Amino acid sequence: MGYKLDVDGFEGQDIEVVVSFWTGARLFVNGKKAEKGPRRGQLVLKRNDGKEVIASFKHKNIWADVPQLKVGKELIEFAKPLTWKEWIFVGSPIVVLLLGGALGAVMAMLGLYLNGKLFRSQLKDVLKYTLSAVVTLSLIIGYFFFSSVILLLFNN
């Protein structure tokens, strides 16, 4: 998921943070990945006046939530943190993991990913919660369906 940012001193530049489940947060300036900085986790950005500024990602609450971006001394929050109710719905597919096995683990990961995307979308809150419940129930039903198919295949 990408977030376009307006940062003081970088007017006219296309600054975007792309957050991915697999790679974490990455910063792009004018379509190119930001240069690595002098220390681990730091990035170097060039302002309109030519001055270089250090940027880094700061995790506010939980490692899995969208981080904040610190550019120089300015801290930019480009996505609001999820509330505890939203985290319960995002994490509800863990029930499938408790059902067991590799199939449960794969389906739980899929559910966590889908619910995370849902709660970061621009949908209305009621629709987010409804679709999250549908995702979790579908995964539970899908788990029992696929595990039954696997049992039938291996018992014949």
Side-chain angles (χ1 to χ4, degrees):
M1 180 166 283
Y3 300 92
K4 299 276 186 186
L5 303 178
D6 292 323
V7 183
D8 292 337
F10 296 89
E11 293 80 10
Q13 294 190 48
D14 180 27
I15 299 177
E16 182 179 20
V17 175
V18 176
V19 181
S20 169
F21 178 75
W22 304 109
T23 60
R26 293 177 292 156
L27 182 63
F28 292 89
V29 180
N30 300 322
K32 296 178 184 165
K33 197 170 182 182
E35 295 179 32
K36 291 186 178 188
R39 291 189 177 155
R40 180 182 166 108
Q42 291 183 337
L43 303 165
V44 178
L45 303 178
K46 194 169 279 193
R47 293 178 12 165
N48 292 343
D49 61 6
K51 183 180 177 187
E52 289 186 345
V53 180
I54 299 294
S56 61
F57 289 105
K58 302 290 180 193
H59 292 277
K60 187 174 180 180
N61 292 333
I62 300 174
W63 63 269
D65 208 352
V66 175
Q68 299 170 321
L69 180 66
K70 185 175 182 185
V71 180
K73 295 181 181 179
E74 182 181 4
L75 191 62
I76 302 166
E77 184 175 83
F78 45 91
K80 68 176 183 67
L82 296 176
T83 65
W84 66 270
K85 291 184 280 188
E86 291 170 334
W87 272 115
I88 288 173
F89 273 80
V90 168
S92 62
I94 291 181
V95 170
V96 182
L97 177 63
L98 299 176
L99 294 173
L103 179 62
V106 167
M107 294 186 87
M109 292 290 286
L110 176 65
L112 290 169
Y113 175 76
L114 291 174
N115 281 345
K117 286 287 217 183
L118 274 172
F119 280 97
R120 286 286 172 213
S121 70
Q122 300 298 322
L123 298 172
K124 296 200 183 281
D125 284 347
V126 173
L127 192 55
K128 288 179 187 178
Y129 287 104
T130 304
L131 289 174
S132 175
V134 168
V135 165
T136 302
L137 289 173
S138 298
L139 289 169
I140 292 170
I141 293 167
Y143 173 83
F144 286 114
F145 173 77
F146 286 118
S147 61
S148 298
V149 168
I150 291 169
L151 283 174
L152 286 173
L153 289 174
F154 285 110
N155 284 337
N156 287 331

Short mmCIF file of all heavy atoms in Angstrom, two decimals, residues 17-74:
data_model
loop_
_atom_site.label_atom_id
_atom_site.label_comp_id
_atom_site.label_asym_id
_atom_site.label_seq_id
_atom_site.Cartn_x
_atom_site.Cartn_y
_atom_site.Cartn_z
N VAL A 17 5.75 6.47 0.48
CA VAL A 17 6.11 5.35 1.33
C VAL A 17 5.27 4.16 0.89
O VAL A 17 4.05 4.26 0.81
CB VAL A 17 5.86 5.66 2.82
CG1 VAL A 17 6.13 4.43 3.68
CG2 VAL A 17 6.71 6.82 3.28
N VAL A 18 5.93 3.05 0.59
CA VAL A 18 5.23 1.82 0.20
C VAL A 18 5.43 0.82 1.33
O VAL A 18 6.55 0.50 1.70
CB VAL A 18 5.77 1.27 -1.13
CG1 VAL A 18 5.10 -0.05 -1.47
CG2 VAL A 18 5.57 2.28 -2.24
N VAL A 19 4.30 0.37 1.89
CA VAL A 19 4.34 -0.58 2.99
C VAL A 19 3.88 -1.93 2.47
O VAL A 19 2.80 -2.05 1.90
CB VAL A 19 3.45 -0.12 4.17
CG1 VAL A 19 3.51 -1.11 5.31
CG2 VAL A 19 3.85 1.26 4.63
N SER A 20 4.72 -2.94 2.66
CA SER A 20 4.42 -4.28 2.19
C SER A 20 4.55 -5.27 3.35
O SER A 20 5.40 -5.10 4.23
CB SER A 20 5.40 -4.66 1.08
OG SER A 20 5.31 -6.02 0.78
N PHE A 21 3.73 -6.29 3.31
CA PHE A 21 3.78 -7.34 4.32
C PHE A 21 5.14 -8.04 4.30
O PHE A 21 5.68 -8.39 5.33
CB PHE A 21 2.65 -8.35 4.06
CG PHE A 21 2.62 -9.50 5.01
CD1 PHE A 21 2.16 -9.33 6.30
CD2 PHE A 21 3.07 -10.75 4.62
CE1 PHE A 21 2.12 -10.40 7.18
CE2 PHE A 21 3.04 -11.82 5.49
CZ PHE A 21 2.56 -11.65 6.78
N TRP A 22 5.70 -8.22 3.11
CA TRP A 22 6.92 -9.00 2.95
C TRP A 22 8.18 -8.18 3.16
O TRP A 22 9.16 -8.67 3.70
CB TRP A 22 6.96 -9.65 1.57
CG TRP A 22 5.76 -10.49 1.32
CD1 TRP A 22 4.73 -10.22 0.46
CD2 TRP A 22 5.43 -11.73 1.95
NE1 TRP A 22 3.78 -11.20 0.52
CE2 TRP A 22 4.19 -12.16 1.43
CE3 TRP A 22 6.05 -12.51 2.90
CZ2 TRP A 22 3.57 -13.32 1.83
CZ3 TRP A 22 5.43 -13.69 3.30
CH2 TRP A 22 4.21 -14.08 2.76
N THR A 23 8.20 -6.94 2.69
CA THR A 23 9.44 -6.15 2.73
C THR A 23 9.41 -5.02 3.75
O THR A 23 10.41 -4.34 3.91
CB THR A 23 9.74 -5.55 1.35
OG1 THR A 23 8.65 -4.70 0.96
CG2 THR A 23 9.96 -6.63 0.31
N GLY A 24 8.30 -4.79 4.40
CA GLY A 24 8.20 -3.68 5.34
C GLY A 24 8.00 -2.37 4.62
O GLY A 24 7.50 -2.33 3.50
N ALA A 25 8.41 -1.27 5.24
CA ALA A 25 8.22 0.06 4.65
C ALA A 25 9.45 0.44 3.82
O ALA A 25 10.59 0.22 4.23
CB ALA A 25 8.00 1.09 5.75
N ARG A 26 9.19 1.00 2.64
CA ARG A 26 10.25 1.50 1.77
C ARG A 26 9.89 2.91 1.33
O ARG A 26 8.72 3.23 1.14
CB ARG A 26 10.41 0.59 0.55
CG ARG A 26 10.94 -0.78 0.92
CD ARG A 26 11.04 -1.69 -0.27
NE ARG A 26 9.67 -1.97 -0.72
CZ ARG A 26 9.35 -2.33 -1.95
NH1 ARG A 26 10.26 -2.46 -2.86
NH2 ARG A 26 8.10 -2.57 -2.27
N LEU A 27 10.89 3.75 1.17
CA LEU A 27 10.70 5.14 0.80
C LEU A 27 11.19 5.37 -0.62
O LEU A 27 12.31 4.98 -0.97
CB LEU A 27 11.46 6.05 1.78
CG LEU A 27 11.33 7.54 1.57
CD1 LEU A 27 9.89 8.00 1.78
CD2 LEU A 27 12.25 8.28 2.54
N PHE A 28 10.34 6.01 -1.43
CA PHE A 28 10.68 6.32 -2.81
C PHE A 28 10.61 7.83 -3.01
O PHE A 28 9.68 8.47 -2.53
CB PHE A 28 9.72 5.63 -3.78
CG PHE A 28 9.86 4.14 -3.80
CD1 PHE A 28 9.13 3.34 -2.94
CD2 PHE A 28 10.74 3.54 -4.69
CE1 PHE A 28 9.27 1.96 -2.95
CE2 PHE A 28 10.88 2.16 -4.71
CZ PHE A 28 10.14 1.37 -3.84
N VAL A 29 11.60 8.37 -3.72
CA VAL A 29 11.62 9.79 -4.06
C VAL A 29 11.70 9.88 -5.58
O VAL A 29 12.63 9.36 -6.19
CB VAL A 29 12.83 10.51 -3.42
CG1 VAL A 29 12.84 11.98 -3.80
CG2 VAL A 29 12.81 10.33 -1.91
N ASN A 30 10.68 10.52 -6.16
CA ASN A 30 10.58 10.66 -7.62
C ASN A 30 10.69 9.31 -8.33
O ASN A 30 11.37 9.17 -9.34
CB ASN A 30 11.63 11.64 -8.14
CG ASN A 30 11.47 13.02 -7.54
OD1 ASN A 30 10.34 13.48 -7.33
ND2 ASN A 30 12.56 13.67 -7.24
N GLY A 31 10.05 8.30 -7.75
CA GLY A 31 10.00 6.97 -8.36
C GLY A 31 11.20 6.09 -8.12
O GLY A 31 11.22 4.94 -8.52
N LYS A 32 12.24 6.61 -7.44
CA LYS A 32 13.44 5.83 -7.16
C LYS A 32 13.55 5.58 -5.66
O LYS A 32 13.19 6.44 -4.85
CB LYS A 32 14.69 6.57 -7.64
CG LYS A 32 14.72 6.77 -9.14
CD LYS A 32 15.94 7.55 -9.54
CE LYS A 32 15.89 7.84 -11.03
NZ LYS A 32 16.84 8.85 -11.43
N LYS A 33 14.07 4.41 -5.32
CA LYS A 33 14.26 4.08 -3.91
C LYS A 33 15.24 5.06 -3.27
O LYS A 33 16.26 5.41 -3.88
CB LYS A 33 14.78 2.65 -3.80
CG LYS A 33 14.64 2.05 -2.44
CD LYS A 33 14.96 0.57 -2.47
CE LYS A 33 14.75 0.00 -1.09
NZ LYS A 33 15.09 -1.41 -1.03
N ALA A 34 14.92 5.54 -2.08
CA ALA A 34 15.78 6.51 -1.39
C ALA A 34 17.15 5.88 -1.08
O ALA A 34 17.25 4.69 -0.80
CB ALA A 34 15.11 6.97 -0.10
N GLU A 35 18.18 6.73 -1.15
CA GLU A 35 19.55 6.28 -0.88
C GLU A 35 19.71 5.89 0.59
O GLU A 35 19.13 6.52 1.47
CB GLU A 35 20.55 7.40 -1.18
CG GLU A 35 20.65 7.81 -2.61
CD GLU A 35 21.65 8.95 -2.78
OE1 GLU A 35 22.64 9.00 -2.02
OE2 GLU A 35 21.42 9.78 -3.66
N LYS A 36 20.55 4.89 0.82
CA LYS A 36 20.84 4.48 2.19
C LYS A 36 21.68 5.56 2.87
O LYS A 36 22.52 6.19 2.25
CB LYS A 36 21.58 3.15 2.22
CG LYS A 36 20.70 2.00 1.78
CD LYS A 36 21.40 0.68 1.95
CE LYS A 36 20.44 -0.42 1.54
NZ LYS A 36 20.94 -1.74 1.83
N GLY A 37 21.44 5.72 4.16
CA GLY A 37 22.17 6.72 4.94
C GLY A 37 23.42 6.16 5.57
O GLY A 37 23.79 5.00 5.35
N PRO A 38 24.07 6.98 6.39
CA PRO A 38 25.34 6.57 7.00
C PRO A 38 25.18 5.45 8.05
O PRO A 38 26.11 4.70 8.28
CB PRO A 38 25.87 7.85 7.65
CG PRO A 38 24.67 8.72 7.83
CD PRO A 38 23.72 8.35 6.74
N ARG A 39 24.03 5.37 8.66
CA ARG A 39 23.79 4.34 9.67
C ARG A 39 22.68 3.40 9.23
O ARG A 39 21.89 3.73 8.34
CB ARG A 39 23.38 4.97 11.01
CG ARG A 39 24.48 5.72 11.68
CD ARG A 39 24.04 6.09 13.06
NE ARG A 39 25.11 6.76 13.77
CZ ARG A 39 24.91 7.58 14.76
NH1 ARG A 39 23.69 7.86 15.16
NH2 ARG A 39 25.93 8.15 15.37
N ARG A 40 22.62 2.27 9.88
CA ARG A 40 21.58 1.28 9.59
C ARG A 40 20.20 1.88 9.84
O ARG A 40 19.96 2.53 10.86
CB ARG A 40 21.79 0.06 10.47
CG ARG A 40 20.78 -1.03 10.25
CD ARG A 40 21.05 -2.17 11.22
NE ARG A 40 19.93 -3.05 11.25
CZ ARG A 40 19.93 -4.27 10.72
NH1 ARG A 40 21.01 -4.73 10.14
NH2 ARG A 40 18.87 -5.02 10.78
N GLY A 41 19.28 1.69 8.90
CA GLY A 41 17.91 2.18 9.03
C GLY A 41 17.73 3.63 8.63
O GLY A 41 16.63 4.17 8.72
N GLN A 42 18.80 4.29 8.22
CA GLN A 42 18.71 5.69 7.80
C GLN A 42 18.70 5.80 6.28
O GLN A 42 19.30 4.99 5.59
CB GLN A 42 19.88 6.50 8.36
CG GLN A 42 19.84 6.69 9.85
CD GLN A 42 20.97 7.57 10.34
OE1 GLN A 42 22.01 7.71 9.68
NE2 GLN A 42 20.78 8.17 11.51
N LEU A 43 18.00 6.83 5.81
CA LEU A 43 17.93 7.12 4.38
C LEU A 43 18.32 8.58 4.18
O LEU A 43 18.11 9.41 5.07
CB LEU A 43 16.50 6.89 3.87
CG LEU A 43 15.94 5.49 4.10
CD1 LEU A 43 14.44 5.47 3.91
CD2 LEU A 43 16.61 4.51 3.17
N VAL A 44 18.88 8.89 3.02
CA VAL A 44 19.30 10.25 2.72
C VAL A 44 18.35 10.82 1.67
O VAL A 44 18.15 10.22 0.62
CB VAL A 44 20.75 10.30 2.20
CG1 VAL A 44 21.14 11.73 1.84
CG2 VAL A 44 21.70 9.74 3.24
N LEU A 45 17.78 11.99 1.98
CA LEU A 45 16.91 12.70 1.05
C LEU A 45 17.55 14.05 0.73
O LEU A 45 18.17 14.67 1.59
CB LEU A 45 15.53 12.93 1.66
CG LEU A 45 14.77 11.70 2.13
CD1 LEU A 45 13.44 12.12 2.75
CD2 LEU A 45 14.54 10.75 0.99
N LYS A 46 17.38 14.50 -0.51
CA LYS A 46 17.92 15.79 -0.92
C LYS A 46 16.78 16.79 -1.08
O LYS A 46 15.88 16.59 -1.90
CB LYS A 46 18.70 15.66 -2.23
CG LYS A 46 19.55 16.88 -2.53
CD LYS A 46 20.49 16.61 -3.68
CE LYS A 46 21.69 15.85 -3.12
NZ LYS A 46 22.80 15.80 -4.07
N ARG A 47 16.81 17.85 -0.25
CA ARG A 47 15.77 18.88 -0.31
C ARG A 47 15.92 19.72 -1.57
O ARG A 47 16.91 19.61 -2.30
CB ARG A 47 15.88 19.79 0.93
CG ARG A 47 15.53 19.07 2.19
CD ARG A 47 15.65 19.88 3.43
NE ARG A 47 15.80 21.31 3.23
CZ ARG A 47 15.64 22.20 4.18
NH1 ARG A 47 15.32 21.81 5.40
NH2 ARG A 47 15.82 23.47 3.96
N ASN A 48 14.92 20.56 -1.80
CA ASN A 48 14.94 21.42 -2.98
C ASN A 48 16.13 22.39 -2.98
O ASN A 48 16.63 22.76 -4.03
CB ASN A 48 13.63 22.22 -3.08
CG ASN A 48 12.46 21.31 -3.39
OD1 ASN A 48 12.62 20.18 -3.84
ND2 ASN A 48 11.26 21.80 -3.15
N ASP A 49 16.59 22.78 -1.79
CA ASP A 49 17.73 23.72 -1.70
C ASP A 49 19.08 23.00 -1.79
O ASP A 49 20.13 23.62 -1.64
CB ASP A 49 17.65 24.55 -0.42
CG ASP A 49 17.70 23.73 0.85
OD1 ASP A 49 17.91 22.48 0.76
OD2 ASP A 49 17.51 24.30 1.94
N GLY A 50 19.07 21.66 -2.01
CA GLY A 50 20.29 20.89 -2.16
C GLY A 50 20.82 20.29 -0.88
O GLY A 50 21.75 19.48 -0.90
N LYS A 51 20.25 20.66 0.26
CA LYS A 51 20.71 20.14 1.54
C LYS A 51 20.22 18.70 1.72
O LYS A 51 19.09 18.38 1.42
CB LYS A 51 20.18 21.02 2.68
CG LYS A 51 20.64 20.61 4.04
CD LYS A 51 20.08 21.52 5.12
CE LYS A 51 20.51 21.03 6.48
NZ LYS A 51 19.86 21.78 7.56
N GLU A 52 21.13 17.85 2.23
CA GLU A 52 20.76 16.46 2.49
C GLU A 52 20.18 16.33 3.89
O GLU A 52 20.67 16.95 4.84
CB GLU A 52 21.98 15.54 2.35
CG GLU A 52 22.42 15.39 0.91
CD GLU A 52 23.53 14.36 0.74
OE1 GLU A 52 24.16 13.96 1.75
OE2 GLU A 52 23.77 13.97 -0.41
N VAL A 53 19.12 15.54 3.99
CA VAL A 53 18.41 15.33 5.26
C VAL A 53 18.32 13.83 5.51
O VAL A 53 18.08 13.05 4.58
CB VAL A 53 17.00 15.95 5.20
CG1 VAL A 53 16.26 15.74 6.50
CG2 VAL A 53 17.07 17.43 4.86
N ILE A 54 18.49 13.44 6.77
CA ILE A 54 18.38 12.03 7.15
C ILE A 54 16.92 11.71 7.47
O ILE A 54 16.25 12.45 8.18
CB ILE A 54 19.26 11.72 8.38
CG1 ILE A 54 20.73 12.00 8.09
CG2 ILE A 54 19.05 10.29 8.85
CD1 ILE A 54 21.34 11.09 7.06
N ALA A 55 16.45 10.59 6.93
CA ALA A 55 15.10 10.11 7.21
C ALA A 55 15.20 8.70 7.77
O ALA A 55 16.12 7.95 7.45
CB ALA A 55 14.26 10.11 5.93
N SER A 56 14.24 8.35 8.62
CA SER A 56 14.19 6.98 9.15
C SER A 56 12.76 6.65 9.55
O SER A 56 11.96 7.55 9.81
CB SER A 56 15.13 6.83 10.35
OG SER A 56 14.74 7.71 11.38
N PHE A 57 12.46 5.37 9.59
CA PHE A 57 11.13 4.92 9.99
C PHE A 57 11.12 4.66 11.49
O PHE A 57 12.07 4.10 12.04
CB PHE A 57 10.73 3.65 9.24
CG PHE A 57 10.45 3.88 7.79
CD1 PHE A 57 11.36 3.49 6.82
CD2 PHE A 57 9.28 4.51 7.39
CE1 PHE A 57 11.10 3.71 5.48
CE2 PHE A 57 9.01 4.73 6.05
CZ PHE A 57 9.92 4.34 5.10
N LYS A 58 10.04 5.09 12.14
CA LYS A 58 9.87 4.87 13.58
C LYS A 58 8.59 4.09 13.79
O LYS A 58 7.53 4.47 13.30
CB LYS A 58 9.75 6.22 14.32
CG LYS A 58 10.92 7.14 14.13
CD LYS A 58 12.14 6.61 14.83
CE LYS A 58 13.30 7.57 14.63
NZ LYS A 58 14.56 7.02 15.02
N HIS A 59 8.70 2.98 14.53
CA HIS A 59 7.52 2.19 14.85
C HIS A 59 6.91 2.73 16.14
O HIS A 59 7.60 2.84 17.15
CB HIS A 59 7.88 0.72 14.98
CG HIS A 59 8.28 0.12 13.67
ND1 HIS A 59 7.37 -0.33 12.76
CD2 HIS A 59 9.50 -0.06 13.12
CE1 HIS A 59 8.00 -0.77 11.69
NE2 HIS A 59 9.30 -0.61 11.88
N LYS A 60 5.64 3.07 16.07
CA LYS A 60 4.98 3.73 17.20
C LYS A 60 4.50 2.72 18.24
O LYS A 60 4.84 2.81 19.40
CB LYS A 60 3.80 4.56 16.69
CG LYS A 60 3.16 5.41 17.75
CD LYS A 60 2.12 6.32 17.18
CE LYS A 60 1.50 7.15 18.26
NZ LYS A 60 0.48 8.04 17.77
N ASN A 61 3.67 1.78 17.84
CA ASN A 61 3.07 0.86 18.80
C ASN A 61 3.57 -0.56 18.61
O ASN A 61 4.39 -1.04 19.34
CB ASN A 61 1.53 0.87 18.66
CG ASN A 61 0.92 2.18 19.10
OD1 ASN A 61 1.49 2.87 19.92
ND2 ASN A 61 -0.21 2.53 18.56
N ILE A 62 3.06 -1.20 17.59
CA ILE A 62 3.34 -2.61 17.36
C ILE A 62 4.15 -2.72 16.08
O ILE A 62 3.91 -2.01 15.11
CB ILE A 62 2.01 -3.40 17.25
CG1 ILE A 62 1.22 -3.24 18.54
CG2 ILE A 62 2.27 -4.86 16.94
CD1 ILE A 62 -0.16 -3.86 18.49
N TRP A 63 5.08 -3.62 16.03
CA TRP A 63 5.95 -3.77 14.86
C TRP A 63 5.17 -4.00 13.58
O TRP A 63 5.62 -3.65 12.51
CB TRP A 63 6.94 -4.91 15.09
CG TRP A 63 6.25 -6.23 15.25
CD1 TRP A 63 5.83 -6.80 16.41
CD2 TRP A 63 5.89 -7.14 14.22
NE1 TRP A 63 5.21 -7.99 16.17
CE2 TRP A 63 5.24 -8.23 14.83
CE3 TRP A 63 6.04 -7.15 12.84
CZ2 TRP A 63 4.75 -9.31 14.10
CZ3 TRP A 63 5.55 -8.23 12.12
CH2 TRP A 63 4.92 -9.29 12.75
N ALA A 64 3.98 -4.59 13.67
CA ALA A 64 3.22 -4.93 12.46
C ALA A 64 2.41 -3.76 11.92
O ALA A 64 1.87 -3.84 10.83
CB ALA A 64 2.28 -6.10 12.75
N ASP A 65 2.30 -2.68 12.67
CA ASP A 65 1.51 -1.54 12.21
C ASP A 65 2.35 -0.67 11.28
O ASP A 65 3.57 -0.81 11.20
CB ASP A 65 1.02 -0.73 13.41
CG ASP A 65 -0.29 0.00 13.13
OD1 ASP A 65 -0.74 -0.01 11.98
OD2 ASP A 65 -0.86 0.57 14.06
N VAL A 66 1.69 0.25 10.59
CA VAL A 66 2.37 1.15 9.67
C VAL A 66 3.24 2.12 10.49
O VAL A 66 2.74 2.76 11.41
CB VAL A 66 1.35 1.93 8.81
CG1 VAL A 66 2.04 2.94 7.93
CG2 VAL A 66 0.54 0.95 7.96
N PRO A 67 4.53 2.23 10.16
CA PRO A 67 5.41 3.11 10.94
C PRO A 67 5.21 4.59 10.60
O PRO A 67 4.49 4.93 9.68
CB PRO A 67 6.81 2.66 10.52
CG PRO A 67 6.63 2.18 9.13
CD PRO A 67 5.26 1.56 9.08
N GLN A 68 5.88 5.44 11.37
CA GLN A 68 5.93 6.87 11.08
C GLN A 68 7.26 7.13 10.37
O GLN A 68 8.19 6.34 10.46
CB GLN A 68 5.87 7.68 12.36
CG GLN A 68 4.61 7.46 13.16
CD GLN A 68 4.71 8.09 14.54
OE1 GLN A 68 5.75 8.06 15.18
NE2 GLN A 68 3.61 8.66 14.99
N LEU A 69 7.33 8.26 9.67
CA LEU A 69 8.57 8.63 8.99
C LEU A 69 9.12 9.88 9.64
O LEU A 69 8.43 10.88 9.78
CB LEU A 69 8.30 8.88 7.50
CG LEU A 69 9.51 9.28 6.67
CD1 LEU A 69 10.51 8.13 6.59
CD2 LEU A 69 9.09 9.71 5.28
N LYS A 70 10.38 9.81 10.05
CA LYS A 70 11.05 10.98 10.62
C LYS A 70 11.98 11.54 9.56
O LYS A 70 12.89 10.85 9.09
CB LYS A 70 11.84 10.59 11.87
CG LYS A 70 12.45 11.77 12.56
CD LYS A 70 13.12 11.39 13.86
CE LYS A 70 13.66 12.63 14.52
NZ LYS A 70 14.41 12.29 15.73
N VAL A 71 11.72 12.77 9.13
CA VAL A 71 12.54 13.46 8.14
C VAL A 71 13.16 14.65 8.84
O VAL A 71 12.47 15.61 9.18
CB VAL A 71 11.71 13.91 6.92
CG1 VAL A 71 12.59 14.64 5.91
CG2 VAL A 71 11.02 12.73 6.26
N GLY A 72 14.46 14.57 9.09
CA GLY A 72 15.12 15.61 9.87
C GLY A 72 14.55 15.57 11.29
O GLY A 72 14.63 14.56 11.97
N LYS A 73 13.92 16.67 11.71
CA LYS A 73 13.31 16.72 13.04
C LYS A 73 11.79 16.57 12.96
O LYS A 73 11.12 16.52 13.98
CB LYS A 73 13.66 18.04 13.73
CG LYS A 73 15.13 18.16 14.02
CD LYS A 73 15.46 19.46 14.72
CE LYS A 73 16.95 19.54 14.96
NZ LYS A 73 17.35 20.76 15.61
N GLU A 74 11.25 16.49 11.74
CA GLU A 74 9.80 16.39 11.55
C GLU A 74 9.36 14.93 11.55
O GLU A 74 9.93 14.09 10.85
CB GLU A 74 9.42 17.04 10.21
CG GLU A 74 7.96 17.04 9.91
CD GLU A 74 7.63 17.66 8.57
OE1 GLU A 74 8.55 18.03 7.82
OE2 GLU A 74 6.44 17.74 8.25
#
